């Protein structure tokens, strides 16, 4: 069993309604932005005809499409994302990638502040 991954980054703005201190909640409610790093993991056996789990060129094409939906966008307005949390970004990226590459096994999304979320569905 092999696991490959490809990392990409995007810059995006969002707001977030939070139940924390009034001072911290106010900062989250204002439009603000982050540089995000996402990593898509693909897991499987090598295909006999190619020797690859998935052609990385195909994975890069899929990532370009996902990045185009997120990079320099207002995440609150991205259709299908929901609240722009790290968790929802993981689920969104996973779902978009799986439309094209069924071997996608997990997704990680992080921000420079040190926050990171990993999504590994259990199906």
């Amino acid at each position: 069993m092999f696991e490959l991954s490809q990392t990409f980054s995007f810059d995006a703005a969002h707001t977030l309604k939070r139940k924390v201190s009034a001072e911290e909640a106010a900062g989250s409610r204002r439009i603000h932005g982050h540089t995000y790093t996402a990593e898509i993991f693909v897991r499987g056996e090598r295909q006999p005809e190619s020797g690859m789990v998935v052609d990385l060129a195909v994975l890069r094409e899929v990532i370009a499409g996902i990045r185009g939906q997120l990079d320099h966008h207002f995440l609150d307005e991205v259709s299908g994302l929901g609240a722009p949390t790290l968790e929802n970004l993981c689920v969104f990226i996973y779902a978009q990638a799986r439309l094209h590459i069924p071997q996608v096994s997990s997704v990680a999304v992080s921000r420079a502040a040190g926050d990171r979320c990993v999504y590994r569905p259990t199906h």
Side-chain angles (χ1 to χ4, degrees), residues 77-110:
E77 297 174 350
V78 173
S79 179
L81 178 59
T85 63
L86 289 174
E87 294 87 346
N88 284 346
L89 281 166
C90 282
V91 171
F92 178 84
I93 293 167
Y94 176 87
Q96 295 297 308
R98 287 277 301 212
L99 290 173
H100 306 282
I101 302 173
Q103 302 96 319
V104 171
S105 59
S106 60
V107 169
V109 177
S110 59

Side-chain angles (χ1 to χ4, degrees), residues 14-121:
H14 71 109
T15 63
L16 198 58
K17 294 180 176 103
R18 299 173 65 196
K19 295 182 180 186
V20 293
S21 70
E23 182 178 308
E24 186 150 343
S28 293
R29 283 192 194 110
R30 289 191 300 270
I31 295 174
H32 62 284
H34 303 282
T35 296
Y36 295 91
T37 300
E39 187 169 11
I40 297 176
F41 294 85
V42 178
R43 184 178 166 95
E45 295 294 339
R46 292 174 293 173
Q47 300 301 311
E49 64 280 356
S50 68
M52 297 181 270
V53 174
V54 65
D55 188 324
L56 289 175
V58 172
L59 180 57
R60 283 191 288 273
E61 281 181 18
V62 169
I63 286 171
I66 296 168
R67 188 173 185 275
Q69 295 177 69
L70 301 172
D71 191 40
H72 289 88
H73 283 269
F74 184 49
L75 297 179
D76 299 52
E77 297 174 350
V78 173
S79 179
L81 178 59
T85 63
L86 289 174
E87 294 87 346
N88 284 346
L89 281 166
C90 282
V91 171
F92 178 84
I93 293 167
Y94 176 87
Q96 295 297 308
R98 287 277 301 212
L99 290 173
H100 306 282
I101 302 173
Q103 302 96 319
V104 171
S105 59
S106 60
V107 169
V109 177
S110 59
R111 302 185 311 193
D115 308 313
R116 184 171 190 251
C117 180
V118 179
Y119 179 59
R120 291 183 190 98

Side-chain angles (χ1 to χ4, degrees), residues 4-16:
L4 302 172
S5 72
Q6 183 72 47
T7 303
F8 67 101
S9 62
F10 60 96
D11 296 302
H14 71 109
T15 63
L16 198 58

